[in-house]
Amino acid sequence: MVAIRTENLTKIYIRKHLFSSKKTSALENLNLEIEDRKVFGLLGLNGSGKTTLLKLLVGLLFPTKGSVYIFEQKFPHLSLLSRIGYLPEFPCFLMYLTASELLHFYGKLYGLSTKEREQRVEATLDLVDLKDNRNDRLADFSKGMLERIGMAQVLLHDPELLLLDEPTSGLDPLGIKKMRQTILRLKEEGKTILLSSHFVTEVERVCDQVGILHKGKLKKIIKMRGLESSLEDLFTETVSEAV
Amino acid sequence: MKKIFAIAEYTIKENIRHKVFYTILLFALVIIISSVLFSMLSGEEETRVILDIGLGAIEIFAFLSAIFAAVGLVLGEMENKSISLILTRPVRRFEYIWGRYSGILSISLFNILLMSSGLLFLLFVKGWSFDFRFLLAVTFIFLKVVIISALAILISLISTSPISSISVTFFLWVLGHVTDHLKYLNHVLLEEGVKITIFLKAIYYLLPNFQYLNIKDYIGYPNPLVGTTIFWQVAYSLAYASVATWLSVLVFSRKEF
């Protein structure tokens, strides 16, 4: 089954000034298919359109043109959001809540019953090693702990599709290793993962397939199995060709 | 409905964990209590002064607390992007707006009830004989908050900074208390030969008419309150707030984050 399909997906940002408007094309006619139970990496330089694509896939942005299908269903569709877990590049939380309160709040938005919520919140906090901090306010959390609560909110409702925007950015080496292990474990569990990054080595280690985005256009799709040259060389080659 | 309750619940939590919330309440109680000092200077009109200062303080501080919640929290959440982790869950945009709005109204109602209880206690200590219009006055203060909170949310969604949102909301609050003067202005301008009647009428009907809801001015005077008028006042407040809230939903559903 195809987990994500985009058809001519285009996003143009329009910035309005007093007497003029400036248009910036962030994505141009993107046609992409991602199979389920695979890890797909989006590689691209800063400003290549990775975050725009992820935001279009969760409905935070609206496409200028084209369509998005998730699990063969046209998006946006409210029920599809229950099947998606999204981690933004710089996740911002409701800092006055405790870790447990935050997850309970998100759990309520998924319509989970009290019993289900209690089980899921405990299991998720355990999974990200924050069980002992469940009653601490997020305002008192370190950066690493906030990254972990970020991952916890992604996994809370056991989604089938995970969209991770630069999941390793800002993490220390230990954090990066743990994040990699988590992604690999989720892959074994059969989750579909779309992750964006500009760290070639990280993408290389976890992905089945990689798409190279440059200036809003999908330049190349690479299957990692049987890849003979290094991904880094392919990436720099593709990006340099496009310049 | 459950999602609206969940969002309302966290709005309440957010509010009561902010220092601003307690500062506003503390100031209100200080002013209400200090009304006793002013009343000592007023001879036989002691309870009248306590009532006027007290109800005035309740209205101002209820307005401040609502504006803080509507502008500070809604706009703040959009600015710090924490809203994106709410909207990527199965939450409809209208559920977010109505949840936030219900939370703000719940906290405002709590504030008004707390301040009114303090004022009632002071009045009874001073030997005031209960007038049911006190309850009506407090209810109508809440209705004003119902309208201004809806407007404050709408303005927060349109404007780009908390300062401009607060300024515009404050401006509307003041204008809403002087809309009747627009009729007089129209009359004067017509005499001068300036015809902007349609424009002034449009402003008159668009602005919230808070003077229409000023029941507190009648307490202590032999001014009978008519049931049908009260019905229309309540209907006006609810209709105005509903339209403003649905406009917010319309604006919000087109917003990108």
Side-chain angles (χ1 to χ4, degrees):
Chain A
M1 192 165 79
V2 176
I4 298 172
R5 181 157 57 89
T6 66
E7 284 178 3
N8 297 319
L9 191 63
T10 302
K11 179 65 193 176
I12 298 169
Y13 290 111
I14 303 172
R15 195 167 288 275
K16 285 180 184 162
H17 301 285
L18 198 55
F19 299 110
S20 61
S21 62
K22 191 186 169 195
K23 290 183 178 179
T24 313
S25 177
L27 276 184
E28 272 179 58
N29 294 314
L30 186 86
N31 291 298
L32 176 70
E33 269 194 13
I34 300 173
E35 283 175 51
D36 70 339
R37 296 168 178 272
K38 297 276 189 240
V39 180
F40 190 98
L42 264 180
L43 262 184
L45 303 174
N46 288 332
S48 58
K50 304 183 297 289
T51 299
T52 298
L53 175 60
L54 291 183
K55 285 186 172 182
L56 284 164
L57 295 176
V58 285
L60 289 174
L61 291 176
F62 309 125
T64 310
K65 202 183 81 182
S67 326
V68 171
Y69 295 85
I70 291 176
F71 298 119
E72 311 286 6
Q73 209 173 347
K74 191 158 183 185
F75 192 79
H77 195 284
L78 207 65
S79 66
L80 282 173
L81 287 170
S82 301
R83 301 168 74 181
I84 302 173
Y86 170 63
L87 179 68
E89 186 178 2
F90 304 108
C92 277
F93 303 105
L94 313 159
M95 303 302 272
Y96 55 90
L97 294 179
T98 66
S100 167
E101 282 173 340
L102 181 87
L103 296 181
H104 271 282
F105 169 56
Y106 290 150
K108 283 179 190 173
L109 299 183
Y110 285 111
L112 300 177
S113 67
T114 313
K115 199 178 169 189
E116 274 176 312
R117 246 181 15 244
E118 269 161 15
Q119 282 171 351
R120 289 297 314 160
V121 168
E122 282 308 300
T124 316
L125 285 173
D126 196 21
L127 207 68
V128 295
D129 284 337
L130 285 175
K131 216 170 180 175
D132 295 334
N133 304 89
R134 67 161 79 77
N135 295 322
D136 295 343
R137 279 201 196 184
L138 299 182
D140 302 326
F141 272 27
S142 68
K143 194 174 186 314
M145 289 160 89
L146 285 173
E147 291 289 344
R148 279 187 273 156
I149 199 75
M151 206 56 199
Q153 61 83 28
V154 172
L155 302 173
L156 176 70
H157 55 297
D158 195 21
E160 296 156 69
L161 172 63
L162 285 85
L163 305 174
L164 313 175
D165 195 358
E166 306 275 2
T168 52
S169 78
L171 291 181
D172 58 27
L174 191 66
I176 292 175
K177 192 180 175 187
K178 278 190 172 174
M179 181 59 83
R180 191 189 312 135
Q181 286 168 341
T182 309
I183 292 171
L184 289 171
R185 185 178 48 75
L186 291 165
K187 181 182 169 180
E188 273 172 30
E189 285 175 17
K191 308 282 185 199
T192 309
I193 301 172
L194 168 60
L195 66 92
S196 83
S197 182
H198 48 246
F199 295 120
V200 182
T201 44
E202 280 312 311
V203 170
E204 203 166 27
R205 286 178 180 188
V206 294
C207 293
D208 300 304
Q209 236 181 342
V210 174
I212 299 177
L213 258 184
H214 188 64
K215 292 185 176 170
K217 290 178 184 162
L218 186 64
K219 293 292 176 189
K220 199 172 267 181
I221 292 183
I222 303 157
K223 285 199 170 163
M224 294 306 292
R225 183 175 280 183
L227 184 69
E228 286 173 1
S229 53
S230 89
L231 183 63
E232 191 172 22
D233 291 342
L234 271 173
F235 174 63
T236 44
E237 217 172 85
T238 312
V239 172
S240 326
E241 273 172 20
V243 170
Chain B
M1 205 65 183
K2 276 183 185 171
K3 289 169 194 171
I4 294 179
F5 277 129
I7 294 169
E9 188 190 340
Y10 102 86
T11 305
I12 294 167
K13 260 185 199 163
E14 192 175 13
N15 234 300
I16 56 178
R17 287 181 187 177
H18 258 281
K19 283 176 190 157
V20 179
F21 171 75
Y22 296 101
T23 314
I24 289 173
L25 261 183
L26 191 73
F27 262 104
L29 290 172
V30 166
I31 289 188
I32 290 169
I33 293 166
S34 66
S35 66
V36 177
L37 297 175
F38 290 108
S39 71
M40 287 170 183
L41 306 169
S42 55
E44 292 176 1
E45 293 290 315
E46 227 179 352
T47 52
R48 174 81 238 169
V49 171
I50 296 175
L51 251 178
D52 284 347
I53 295 178
L55 286 173
I58 291 173
E59 184 166 320
I60 290 167
F61 287 103
F63 164 69
L64 286 178
S65 123
I67 231 182
F68 155 72
V71 177
L73 306 184
V74 175
L75 194 60
E77 191 160 67
M78 286 194 290
E79 278 185 341
N80 72 23
K81 302 275 179 194
S82 57
I83 197 164
S84 64
L85 286 178
I86 296 174
L87 297 180
T88 49
R89 327 257 162 205
V91 176
R92 289 182 182 89
R93 299 265 173 132
F94 83 84
E95 288 173 322
Y96 176 81
I97 292 291
W98 280 99
R100 274 296 204 179
Y101 185 47
S102 318
I104 292 165
L105 292 187
S106 310
I107 204 80
S108 298
L109 183 64
F110 171 77
N111 281 346
I112 290 172
L113 289 177
L114 192 72
M115 291 187 281
S116 307
S117 311
L119 179 61
L120 262 183
F121 174 74
L122 277 182
L123 285 166
F124 285 137
V125 167
K126 286 284 172 185
W128 180 65
S129 53
F130 184 73
D131 182 344
F132 83 99
R133 283 177 295 186
F134 177 87
L135 296 181
L136 269 182
V138 169
T139 309
F140 275 76
I141 288 173
F142 178 63
L143 284 177
K144 283 185 181 183
V145 169
V146 167
I147 293 177
I148 203 68
S149 306
L151 281 174
I153 293 176
L154 178 62
I155 292 158
S156 311
L157 295 173
I158 298 168
S159 81
T160 47
S161 78
I163 293 172
S164 62
S165 297
I166 290 171
S167 312
V168 174
T169 313
F170 180 74
F171 188 59
L172 285 178
W173 176 260
V174 174
L175 275 181
H177 283 93
V178 294
T179 44
D180 283 343
H181 295 276
L182 284 175
K183 276 185 179 171
Y184 175 68
L185 182 66
N186 185 35
H187 176 71
V188 172
L189 287 174
L190 275 176
E191 279 184 357
E192 296 284 328
V194 184
K195 289 180 182 175
I196 50 168
T197 310
I198 295 176
F199 176 68
L200 284 177
K201 270 191 178 173
I203 295 180
Y204 177 78
Y205 287 113
L206 277 176
L207 286 173
N209 191 344
F210 290 128
Q211 194 54 40
Y212 184 49
L213 306 173
N214 253 350
I215 297 266
K216 68 176 191 299
D217 295 350
Y218 302 138
I219 305 176
Y221 298 108
N223 192 339
L225 289 165
V226 184
T228 47
T229 315
I230 292 172
F231 170 79
W232 285 116
Q233 285 165 319
V234 174
Y236 168 78
S237 311
L238 298 181
Y240 197 101
S242 301
V243 171
T245 309
W246 281 114
L247 279 175
S248 295
V249 172
L250 204 69
V251 174
F252 190 60
S253 53
R254 289 168 188 208
K255 263 197 173 299
E256 295 187 319
F257 298 96

